[in-house]
């Protein structure tokens, strides 16, 4: 009788240990390295203009593994005003571990993001921690006028978002082929003119844009008042 009780007790302990160890192992597999409350970081950020498109290359590392990245957003801004937001969504919700890996744009009516050209790649290397945690994402959108890029990474662990802001000189974006963009009214005009005339028009519009910005922000008036005080 005692042997039977002892055997039952041993079997019960083994079952209990297995029931605790297996979920921990599964969670560790989903969490990768398993570092607590470490926010994701940027390996690099690169912005390139190629033809009529602008490409934003991101390399992201999360020490809880790339599987802990919930979504990544890139927002185009024009002097602080949001124009469009592009999102790479890895999961449908925070409660789900089913990957959807979708690119989207808000508002959709802008039609700037070219989803077919967007790309992501998750590292399958296992040699170093960084390799196990890397995910590469590429956003591709049509060339347009903007002054900055706001990039935000959100993870599943509830860590503080990893944020980055890039000031972007889009003077060259005022002219693309036979298209001229007027930034302050957000209008694209297509003209069939010789290249040198388009260059002249682009320079004139850029000058008007700078004057408009100075007048809008009051910088010119402030400088005038300072000059009058000095005089």
């Amino acid at each position: 009788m005692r042997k039977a009780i002892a055997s039952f007790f041993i079997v019960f302990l083994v079952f209990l240990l297995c029931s605790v160890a297996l979920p921990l192992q599964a969670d560790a597999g989903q969490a990768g390295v398993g570092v607590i409350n470490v926010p994701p970081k940027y390996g690099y950020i690169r912005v390139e203009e190629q033809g009529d498109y602008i490409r934003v290359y991101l390399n992201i590392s999360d020490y809880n593994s790339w599987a802990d990245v919930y979504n990544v957003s890139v927002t185009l801004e024009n002097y602080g005003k949001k124009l469009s937001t592009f999102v790479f969504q890895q999961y449908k919700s925070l409660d789900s571990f089913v990957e959807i890996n979708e690119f989207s744009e808000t508002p959709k009516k802008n039609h700037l993001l070219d989803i077919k050209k967007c790309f992501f790649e998750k590292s399958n290397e296992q040699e170093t921690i960084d390799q196990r945690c890397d995910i590469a994402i590429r956003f591709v959108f049509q060339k347009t006028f903007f002054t900055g890029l706001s990039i935000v990474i959100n993870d599943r662990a509830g860590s503080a978002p990893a944020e980055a802001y890039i000031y972007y000189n889009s003077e060259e974006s005022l002219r693309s082929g036979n298209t001229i963009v007027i930034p302050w009214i957000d209008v694209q005009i297509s003209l069939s003119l010789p290249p040198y005339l388009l260059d002249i028009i682009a320079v004139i519009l850029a000058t008007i844009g700078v004057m408009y910005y100075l007048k809008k922000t009051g910088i010119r008036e402030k400088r005038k008042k300072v000059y009058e005080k000095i005089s």
Side-chain angles (χ1 to χ4, degrees), residues 30 67 91 93-99 156:
Q30 289 178 335
Y91 303 102
S93 68
L94 288 171
D95 299 326
S96 173
F97 279 96
V98 179
E99 297 178 20
R156 301 177 62 95

Side-chain angles (χ1 to χ4, degrees), residues 12-24:
F12 177 75
L13 285 177
V14 171
F15 175 78
L16 183 63
L17 289 173
C18 290
S19 63
V20 173
L22 288 176
L24 288 175

Side-chain angles (χ1 to χ4, degrees), residues 24 45 48 51 67 90 98 121 132 136 157 162 164 176:
L24 288 175
I45 302 173
E48 293 183 359
Q90 186 166 213
V98 179
E121 184 178 21
R132 280 181 280 172
S176 175

